């Protein structure tokens, strides 16, 4: 897998990440959502450099010029609900992308430290020969990303697959690295050390879904 960890180079992205992590500033949910969206825009911009371009003639009011423009048929798939702001950020840059949504959540059984990933709702266009972008803001164990990819299989075989995440734990990155095809790309804004016993990324940021959309009752 090609892993692109954007935090290896200092940029304004550090500011956005510090604001979603910071325990005071992250409580402003509108700002939290907008920062995730901005991170999605930066990740999308960086990813666009690896996509295919084809030459096109553009007519200005004064003359014609030739430009290389994106030619990929993109399908952007996000995991509800925390994935919504990241999805919007990516969609801001990939204007014509088709969209897929899936609900995948952690179901804690009797032991709060163990859970399984339940996939329920799924809406997806044809994926055959398209560029699939799978977006999940928090790459904790990597199990949701893999469960989502498995659930998408009946919709066709994509030409290429790009995973997009805001913060990952090393363990989750290692898991997707060994599970996905070698040609898959991972675009990620930061990789943290570890997971706690409830599967949260440490230091991470807490619960991305709750911070973006409010606390939920546990099922
Ligand atoms: N999901 C979150 O929202 N936060 C984590 O740390 C891990 C998964």
């Amino acid at each position: 897998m090609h892993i692109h960890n954007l935090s290896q180079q200092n940029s304004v992205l550090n500011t956005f990440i510090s604001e979603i992590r910071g325990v005071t500033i992250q409580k402003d949910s509108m700002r939290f959502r907008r920062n995730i969206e901005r991170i999605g825009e930066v990740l999308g911009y960086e990813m666009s450099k690896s996509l295919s371009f084809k030459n096109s003639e553009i007519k200005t009011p004064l003359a014609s010029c030739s430009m290389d423009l994106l030619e990929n048929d993109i399908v952007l798939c996000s995991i509800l609900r925390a994935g919504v702001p990241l999805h919007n950020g990516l969609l801001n840059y990939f204007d014509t992308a088709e969209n897929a949504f899936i609900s995948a959540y952690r179901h804690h059984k009797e032991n709060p430290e163990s859970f399984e990933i339940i996939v329920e709702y799924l809406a997806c266009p044809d994926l055959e020969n398209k560029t699939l972008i799978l977006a999940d803001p928090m790459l904790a164990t990597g199990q949701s990303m893999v469960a989502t990819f498995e659930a998408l299989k009946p919709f066709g075989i994509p030409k290429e697959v790009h995973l997009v995440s805001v913060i990952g734990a090393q363990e989750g990155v290692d898991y997707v690295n060994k599970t996905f095809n070698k040609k898959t790309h991972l675009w990620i804004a930061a990789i943290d050390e570890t997971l706690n016993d409830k599967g949260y990324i440490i230091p991470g940021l807490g619960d991305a879904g709750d911070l973006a959309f409010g606390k939920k009752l546990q099922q």
Side-chain angles (χ1 to χ4, degrees), residues 78-81 101-105 117-123 148 151:
S78 292
I79 304 174
L80 300 171
R81 70 186 165 145
F101 292 98
I102 185 162
S103 85
Y105 67 92
I117 305 287
I118 308 280
V119 171
E120 273 180 348
Y121 174 80
L122 174 54
T148 299

Side-chain angles (χ1 to χ4, degrees), residues 82 106 136 138-141 195 199-202 204-210:
R106 294 172 172 189
D136 187 2
M138 305 301 282
L139 183 60
T141 61
L195 291 173
Y200 279 91
I201 299 170
I202 304 297
L205 52 72
D207 190 301
D210 284 4

